[in-house]
């Protein structure tokens, strides 16, 4: 009897980790993500998973977002030394994201050590040295290749269309098949493919981040055009807090299209994120994970994804110089929720200026500065100081990388049989909502997975 144990991302959106044990003895971890968000969730990262990492045969990794790969260095620290199979693009994205996470944790631990009264962890969960180990374990698999590297099962990765390199993971064992969605992307997006349709599976583990919500139907590029024009009319600077991997590139591509159509005036554009610049280059190296080859369309070495008048800001000194800009400029900086990174310096500088604009282009988690700003807080705390928010604050929803409820249901429509389905990667409400909708529309048995739940499959 094969078994699945839902270790993480069950009843919550982060910490994706599911253990598959087959009759033939394969022990495979599907994703190895970190819990993110409020402290009661992040504390779970300090509890070792209920599986001895040394007994695992492999990790199958869906994509490079931290909530799917962010626990890998901790797993390595606990003795895991087996292959981590993923696409070549995901290996690069994950390494970039993990090194950033390690540095952030090292900084946070150092700060916590200076303020023991706060009761925070004074040692990092992992360091850059642990990421070195993880980087040596990545083993790349091409989309659609059937692989038999793991004794006791075979696997195949299909494009999930969520971020660069993201995959739906199919695992074949004992004449059965399990499909794990990772995170599913959108249909009809400009840079990435649609999520691959899967025709048959015995079991499905499906994400449901947006299982009870719909994205707005308007074109985010049009919304961005309106925000840029309004910011220009205010004679101020437009600041876009953006995730460095994926979102920043989509924004640049949209700006390039608007420029090509002469829809927006000539503005200086600054990408103030070394990580976003690195992510641009990864995208150029992996046309197999894109709708088109960036090198062919924009020429090799173009890290602006087709946008004009773009300056990449690498050094901190050059980043500080951006404070002097008064108008006719767009600054794209990370992190996307303003929870860290260079964007904090820009917000401290720009928020008090009533003619500047701050435009959020992604989900803003509870407790983050981004969330406080979009909820009309008159002021926020940055670096321990209260900063008045007089700048114009706007939000564009349509850039989401996650399939919404209709898109998740559309993906389920690809099955020609009725796979037993377990819903993960969602809060309880969207998980229950999607389970009910899938059951009603397609007649498949679907239920939300509970954390630590073990299901026997045969
Ligand atoms: Zn993701």
């Amino acid at each position: 009897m094969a078994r699945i144990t839902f270790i993480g991302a069950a009843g919550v959106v982060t910490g994706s980790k599911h253990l598959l044990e087959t009759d033939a003895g394969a022990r495979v971890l599907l994703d190895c993500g970190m819990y993110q968000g409020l402290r009661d969730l992040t504390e779970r990262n300090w509890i070792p998973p209920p599986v001895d990492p040394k007994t695992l045969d492999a990790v199958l990794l869906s994509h490079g977002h931290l909530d799917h790969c962010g626990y890998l260095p901790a797993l390595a620290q606990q003795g895991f030394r087996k292959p981590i199979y993923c696409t070549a693009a995901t290996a690069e994205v994950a390494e970039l994201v993990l090194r950033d996470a390690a540095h952030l944790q090292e900084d946070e631990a150092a700060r916590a050590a200076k303020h023991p009264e706060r009761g925070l962890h004074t040692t990092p969960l992992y360091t850059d040295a642990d990421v070195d180990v993880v980087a040596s374990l990545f083993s790349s698999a091409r989309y659609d290749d059937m692989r038999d590297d793991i004794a006791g099962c075979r696997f195949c990765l299909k494009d999930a269309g969520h971020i660069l390199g993201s995959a739906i993971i199919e695992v074949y064992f004992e004449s059965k098949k399990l499909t794990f969605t990772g995170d599913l992307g959108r249909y009809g997006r400009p840079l990435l493919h649609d999520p691959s349709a899967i025709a048959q599976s015995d079991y499905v583990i499906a994400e449901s981040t947006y299982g009870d919500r719909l994205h707005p139907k308007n074109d985010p590029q049009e919304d961005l055009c309106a925000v840029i024009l309004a910011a220009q009319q205010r004679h101020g600077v437009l600041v876009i807090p953006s995730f460095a991997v994926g979102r920043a590139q989509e924004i640049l591509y949209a700006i390039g299209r608007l420029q090509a159509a002469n829809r927006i005036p000539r503005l200086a554009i600054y990408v103030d994120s070394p990580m976003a610049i690195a992510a641009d280059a990864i995208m150029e190296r992996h046309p197999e994970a894109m709708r088109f080859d960036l090198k062919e369309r924009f020429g090799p070495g173009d890290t602006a994804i087709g946008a004009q008048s773009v300056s990449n800001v690498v050094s901190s000194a050059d980043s500080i110089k951006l404070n002097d800009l008064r108008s006719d400029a767009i600054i794209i900086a990370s992190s996307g929720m303003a929870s860290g990174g260079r964007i904090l310096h820009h917000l401290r500088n720009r928020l008090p200026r009533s003619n500047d604009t701050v435009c959020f282009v992604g989900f803003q988690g509870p407790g983050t500065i981004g969330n406080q700003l979009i909820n009309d807080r008159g002021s926020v705390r940055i670096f321990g100081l209260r900063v008045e928010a007089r700048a114009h604050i706007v939000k564009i929803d349509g850039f989401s990388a996650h399939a919404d409820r209709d898109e998740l249901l559309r993906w389920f429509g690809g099955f020609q049989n009725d796979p037993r389905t377990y819903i993960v990667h969602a809060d309880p409400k969207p998980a229950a909502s999607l389970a009910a909708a899938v059951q009603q529309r397609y007649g498949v048995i679907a239920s939300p997975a509970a954390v630590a739940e073990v299901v026997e499959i045969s």
Side-chain angles (χ1 to χ4, degrees):
M1 187 80 77
R3 286 191 306 184
I4 308 168
T5 308
F6 300 102
I7 298 173
V12 292
V13 183
T14 59
S16 181
K17 275 180 225 85
H18 313 292
L19 175 66
L20 171 68
E21 298 165 279
T22 73
D23 242 3
R27 288 168 64 78
V28 177
L29 197 60
L30 302 170
D31 279 354
C32 187
M34 205 173 175
Y35 284 102
Q36 293 178 284
L38 298 175
R39 197 169 164 192
D40 63 330
L41 273 179
T42 57
E43 277 302 304
R44 295 193 196 177
N45 291 320
W46 295 86
I47 305 164
V51 50
D52 179 356
K54 296 192 197 80
T55 66
L56 293 170
D57 297 308
V59 172
L60 292 174
L61 177 62
S62 66
H63 66 289
H65 274 151
L66 262 193
D67 57 334
H68 293 257
C69 74
Y71 196 78
L72 282 169
L75 204 73
Q77 206 180 64
Q78 293 159 31
F80 176 76
R81 290 294 183 275
K82 294 289 174 59
I84 301 163
Y85 296 105
C86 58
T87 64
T90 289
E92 288 200 51
V93 169
E95 184 177 346
L96 180 70
V97 163
L98 291 174
R99 291 209 186 278
D100 183 65
H103 294 150
L104 214 69
Q105 289 176 57
E106 288 171 55
D107 289 350
E108 277 173 12
R111 250 199 320 276
K114 278 189 204 153
H115 299 280
E117 73 284 359
R118 290 180 189 167
L120 301 171
H121 294 278
T122 54
T123 50
L125 186 62
Y126 52 80
T127 66
D128 200 51
D130 300 309
V131 181
D132 288 340
V133 177
V134 170
S136 73
L137 301 177
F138 283 129
S139 180
S140 66
R142 277 203 293 263
Y143 286 130
D144 306 320
D145 266 5
M146 183 65 81
R147 300 281 297 250
D148 55 7
D149 308 68
I150 308 169
C153 69
R154 291 177 301 146
F155 68 93
C156 181
L157 305 181
K158 302 271 184 181
D159 197 338
H162 168 61
I163 61 163
L164 185 76
S166 62
I168 296 165
I169 299 170
E170 298 176 306
V171 190
Y172 296 79
F173 58 96
E174 291 126 32
S175 79
K176 299 287 182 187
K177 176 180 166 188
L178 166 73
T179 301
F180 171 48
T181 61
D183 284 348
L184 289 175
R186 315 278 306 274
Y187 291 87
R189 286 206 304 167
L191 297 178
L192 302 181
H193 290 291
D194 290 354
S196 305
I198 309 294
Q200 190 279 331
S201 193
D202 298 291
Y203 306 97
V204 172
I205 302 175
E207 70 116 338
S208 180
T209 318
Y210 283 84
D212 63 346
R213 279 174 291 169
L214 296 175
H215 295 312
K217 294 284 174 245
N218 37 336
D219 179 354
Q221 187 176 297
E222 289 303 308
D223 292 348
L224 182 63
C225 182
V227 168
I228 292 171
L229 293 175
Q232 171 82 359
Q233 276 166 10
R234 249 178 242 113
H235 303 290
V237 169
L238 170 61
V239 179
I240 304 181
S242 171
F243 297 102
V245 180
R247 191 61 42 86
Q249 293 74 32
E250 266 186 293
I251 299 293
L252 283 172
Y253 181 73
I255 289 173
R257 299 276 303 270
L258 293 169
Q259 287 171 326
N262 287 319
R263 304 273 312 278
I264 53 174
R266 199 171 180 77
L267 299 166
I269 295 150
Y270 299 91
V271 178
D272 188 13
S273 164
M275 203 170 153
I277 298 162
D280 295 346
I282 296 174
M283 215 171 225
E284 186 180 284
R285 281 196 289 278
H286 292 284
E288 78 283 359
M290 304 274 302
R291 268 195 202 273
F292 57 86
D293 187 330
L294 289 176
K295 282 194 291 291
E296 275 173 17
R297 186 164 303 183
F298 303 127
D302 174 290
T303 55
I305 323 284
Q308 307 296 314
S309 314
V310 176
S311 305
N312 287 329
V313 182
V314 178
S315 73
S316 305
D318 286 341
S319 176
I320 292 164
K321 279 187 201 150
L322 301 182
N323 288 349
D324 299 332
L325 295 169
R326 286 293 174 267
S327 62
D328 301 319
I330 299 175
I331 299 170
I332 301 169
S334 52
S335 73
M337 296 191 206
S339 48
R342 289 186 181 177
I343 190 65
L344 291 179
H345 296 275
H346 293 299
L347 290 180
R348 185 176 58 176
N349 180 42
R350 300 282 164 192
L351 282 174
R353 300 182 187 184
S354 57
N355 57 340
D356 283 350
T357 302
V358 178
C359 176
F360 290 93
V361 288
F363 173 73
Q364 303 300 311
T368 58
I369 289 175
N371 188 290
Q372 293 169 39
L373 287 170
I374 59 169
N375 285 308
D376 281 338
R377 288 281 178 86
S379 67
V380 287
R381 271 187 104 74
I382 299 178
F383 304 129
L385 295 171
R386 210 61 14 241
V387 179
E388 296 295 322
R390 293 194 198 94
H392 195 66
I393 311 287
V394 286
K395 184 169 185 285
I396 299 175
D397 284 315
F399 282 109
S400 175
H402 277 279
D404 69 4
R405 178 187 177 84
D406 282 353
E407 289 166 315
L408 288 166
L409 288 172
R410 176 174 168 181
W411 182 79
F412 270 100
F415 286 105
Q416 287 160 16
N417 71 328
D418 302 331
R420 173 70 172 96
T421 297
Y422 301 93
I423 307 288
V424 297
H425 205 277
D427 292 324
K429 201 168 140 274
S433 174
L434 184 70
V438 167
Q439 203 153 328
Q440 191 186 26
R441 188 173 299 188
Y442 300 114
V444 308
I445 300 173
S447 52
V451 75
E453 183 184 355
V454 181
V455 293
E456 306 235 313
I457 54 178
S458 56

